[in-house]
Amino acid sequence: NNNSAPEDAVGRRVSCDGERGTVRYVGPVPPTAGLWLGVEWDDPERGKHDGSHEGVRYFTCRHPTGGSFVRPKKASFGVDYVTALKQRYEVELQEVIGEELKISSRTVMMVGFEDRVSVAQSLDLSGNLLSSWEVLAAVTEQLEALRELQLSHNRLSISSEPSRLSPAFSCLRVLSLNSCALTWTQVLHCLLRPQRVLQTLKVLDLSNNHIVQETVLEISHLPCHVFQFITCVCVCIKQIKIKTIFLCCEGNKTALFPALKTLLLDDNNISEWCVVNELEKLSSLLHLSCRRNPLLQREKNPETVRQIIIARLSRLELLDMRKVLSDERRGAELDYCKKFGLDWLKAGGHSDPEKNHPNTEFMSEHPRFLALLQKYGAPDEGELKEQKPFALKNQLLTLTFVCPEDSERKPIEKKLPGSMIVQKVKGLLHRLLKLPGMELKLSYTCSKMAGREIEIDNDLKPLEFYSVEDGDRILVRWS
């Protein structure tokens, strides 16, 4: 009968015209005749209502337009694992290993062939019609060598006894749960209840799930020892709209995620620097990606944001897929001290270490500042001038370029905007001085600070960042 449904259809996954969903209801929908499936679609745009029809509620949905009714003949409940293997790889299964196994009132045929299945190290089941972790375990427990499991775009019901399924996932190193409609509570249920089941996990992808700000903050209320066994090297939580991260700790380091080296936070709602400060507490964090977050819009120049992030995270080696070189780190940290130096002084900071007692508010906003002062020394007050008002940023400065180590070259006078990036100034000098390929080093002197030479050491900053003023002399050296 094309219009009949399996006895256990409720809770099963279906596909219809390329869209996937979960069956929430099987039965009549008056006044029409015949059998209907009430489906909650993964894509709520596919649906028409929330499970109600003409005032009668048949099922519930997360989204007000996430549900609709379809005839059983239009819905596909998928095929079993063996048939899928045959269709995908066109293989002939010569040997059947194992017997029928009863799991959650459903019969699953446990099969294998030769040694090809048992030695499989990677399994991609993304976008399938798996309905529960029990059904998944029936497949994975046959794969003794399984190390990587891709489960993205599935909807797996949470097991009431996850510890019973532990052997099926005990050796995983990579687990992808992208777009599985998981909440943080469900993640904790899956990962923590089966004690030490994911001890070997190195990469965890939770992108595009329902792990919003309020649920992420639950981390701070859990005992630290609960997370000791999660030794992930990489955690991906992109596109889940996180605003805040708080890591409970004693002192300036946390015991959570002790082996976490890579964290991907792209496409979230991070807009405050306090989130970046929290990441400094992760003792092993080396690689960070946080592209397309509102925080990056705080500065007009994205390179300025990059410099601030580098200065706030002391161990970072890779930011947004770009290496952090030692020279870049040095320049970023020096610029950070200059940029926030006035705030430091106003908060009670002082160049004399015995008098240097900035208030709690400043230290909360800039927890690395004192460490940077110990590393480089306090910046000179002459370098801590406030930024000029925006209206003056495009003002032309008359500057004299002098080559102190080459007396035969005459000084060159040029009018340049204060907003001009140092890198572009060097490009101009390469042409004017006919020094292609030479590495230029710039500094400047001004009448207000006679006898002092201030280094211009970051190619990505504008001239106005260094408080270069009209009439100043730029000293040009090269090697």
Side-chain angles (χ1 to χ4, degrees):
N1 185 355
N2 290 335
N3 206 36
S4 63
E7 292 182 2
D8 61 349
V10 174
R12 292 274 298 274
R13 300 277 291 158
V14 293
S15 175
C16 181
D17 297 328
E19 297 285 348
R20 292 183 295 275
T22 303
V23 178
R24 302 298 186 195
Y25 170 80
V26 179
V29 181
T32 61
L35 197 67
W36 290 91
L37 301 180
V39 179
E40 180 180 10
W41 300 102
D42 294 357
D43 179 5
E45 299 299 322
R46 167 66 175 80
K48 298 179 179 178
H49 50 70
D50 64 353
S52 298
H53 180 66
E54 294 187 356
V56 178
R57 176 164 296 283
Y58 294 90
F59 61 98
T60 59
C61 294
R62 292 185 179 186
H63 195 277
T65 62
S68 67
F69 294 102
V70 297
R71 293 293 189 183
K73 64 181 180 181
K74 289 189 175 183
S76 169
F77 284 84
V79 297
D80 61 76
Y81 182 56
V82 180
T83 303
L85 279 175
K86 287 181 177 180
Q87 293 176 348
R88 177 65 178 84
Y89 299 105
E90 298 181 355
V91 297
E92 291 295 332
L93 306 185
Q94 300 298 332
E95 295 184 24
V96 175
I97 303 173
E99 303 174 349
E100 289 185 349
L101 179 67
K102 197 80 169 178
I103 297 180
S104 295
S105 74
R106 186 172 308 155
T107 300
V108 181
M109 185 64 73
M110 306 297 288
V111 301
F113 54 96
E114 300 175 353
D115 292 324
R116 281 176 284 180
V117 171
S118 61
V119 299
Q121 293 192 6
S122 177
L123 180 62
D124 188 350
L125 294 175
S126 301
N128 275 286
L129 300 180
L130 299 166
S131 58
S132 71
W133 286 94
E134 285 91 346
V135 172
L136 175 65
V139 175
T140 60
E141 67 183 4
Q142 296 181 93
L143 309 178
E144 297 176 358
L146 187 64
R147 299 293 182 268
E148 179 177 347
L149 182 57
Q150 301 286 339
L151 295 175
S152 298
H153 302 283
N154 280 292
R155 298 291 186 272
L156 300 171
S157 62
I158 303 300
S159 172
S160 59
E161 297 182 65
S163 58
R164 187 163 57 88
L165 308 180
S166 297
F169 308 103
S170 59
C171 295
L172 285 181
R173 295 175 67 85
V174 178
L175 177 60
S176 178
L177 294 168
N178 187 348
S179 301
C180 288
L182 291 170
T183 64
W184 186 250
T185 302
Q186 291 171 324
V187 172
L188 296 180
H189 187 83
C190 294
L191 299 186
L192 303 183
R193 294 285 179 83
Q195 287 296 318
R196 300 186 176 276
V197 65
L198 294 177
Q199 188 171 11
T200 60
L201 199 64
K202 299 301 179 186
V203 178
L204 177 62
D205 185 352
L206 296 173
S207 303
N208 202 20
N209 281 287
H210 297 167
I211 307 173
V212 294
Q213 175 185 359
E214 291 76 12
T215 49
V216 169
L217 289 175
E218 290 178 17
I219 288 181
S220 63
H221 304 303
L222 290 169
C224 290
H225 73 270
V226 173
F227 283 85
Q228 293 297 326
F229 73 90
I230 301 182
T231 57
C232 297
V233 172
C234 174
V235 173
C236 178
I237 45 179
K238 300 187 290 185
Q239 293 182 297
I240 60 178
K241 306 310 177 188
I242 284 179
K243 293 182 180 179
T244 302
I245 294 176
F246 175 74
L247 300 171
C248 58
C249 67
E250 294 182 8
N252 56 7
K253 291 291 179 287
T254 180
L256 306 183
F257 308 106
L260 181 62
K261 292 184 178 179
T262 301
L263 182 59
L264 309 180
L265 292 171
D266 299 340
D267 300 293
N268 280 288
N269 281 341
I270 297 172
S271 59
E272 300 296 334
W273 285 112
C274 61
V275 175
V276 179
N277 292 341
E278 286 295 302
L279 301 182
E280 172 67 5
K281 297 176 181 178
L282 295 168
S283 58
S284 298
L285 185 64
L286 299 177
H287 307 153
L288 174 67
S289 184
C290 57
R291 293 170 292 189
R292 296 177 297 279
N293 276 279
L295 184 66
L296 275 64
Q297 310 303 320
R298 295 277 292 270
E299 300 279 346
K300 292 186 66 177
N301 186 349
E303 287 299 324
T304 301
V305 180
R306 176 179 171 85
Q307 300 292 304
I308 296 175
I309 293 175
I310 291 171
R312 288 177 184 258
L313 300 178
S314 60
R315 291 169 297 281
L316 214 57
E317 296 179 357
L318 192 73
L319 176 58
D320 296 337
M321 306 306 169
R322 286 169 51 193
K323 284 186 177 181
V324 178
L325 302 177
S326 57
D327 286 347
E328 182 182 20
R329 172 165 292 284
R330 182 178 183 276
E333 292 176 342
L334 285 169
D335 288 346
Y336 187 86
C337 292
K338 296 173 184 176
K339 183 177 182 67
F340 298 103
L342 279 178
D343 294 338
W344 165 64
L345 291 175
K346 292 175 182 177
H350 198 282
S351 56
D352 183 348
E354 295 184 0
K355 300 178 181 179
N356 185 23
H357 303 294
N359 59 35
T360 304
E361 182 181 357
F362 178 84
M363 291 310 303
S364 176
E365 294 177 3
H366 306 280
R368 282 205 73 215
F369 201 86
L370 294 186
L372 294 178
L373 294 186
Q374 291 179 350
K375 185 175 181 179
Y376 299 107
D380 294 329
E381 291 192 25
E383 299 176 288
L384 304 182
K385 296 180 180 179
E386 295 192 51
Q387 298 290 322
K388 291 182 173 64
F390 181 77
L392 299 177
K393 283 193 173 182
N394 293 321
Q395 179 181 2
L396 291 178
L397 306 176
T398 301
L399 303 174
T400 303
F401 293 91
V402 180
C403 304
E405 296 177 357
D406 188 345
S407 58
E408 294 184 2
R409 291 182 182 269
K410 295 182 179 180
I412 299 174
E413 189 174 285
K414 280 286 179 182
K415 289 189 176 182
L416 301 178
S419 58
M420 191 171 187
I421 302 300
V422 172
Q423 190 175 40
K424 292 185 177 181
V425 175
K426 288 185 176 181
L428 175 64
L429 291 172
H430 276 129
R431 295 191 297 272
L432 291 175
L433 301 175
K434 298 180 180 179
L435 295 171
M438 302 299 287
E439 183 178 347
L440 300 183
K441 295 181 180 180
L442 305 183
S443 58
Y444 79 96
T445 61
C446 65
S447 58
K448 293 182 180 179
M449 293 183 286
R452 286 198 54 206
E453 187 175 325
I454 301 169
E455 186 178 1
I456 301 175
D457 53 8
N458 190 328
D459 287 359
L460 302 177
K461 295 293 185 182
L463 291 172
E464 62 194 359
F465 177 83
Y466 292 97
S467 301
V468 176
E469 297 181 352
D470 190 58
D472 286 349
R473 291 166 62 88
I474 307 294
L475 308 180
V476 185
R477 297 179 175 89
W478 58 87
S479 58

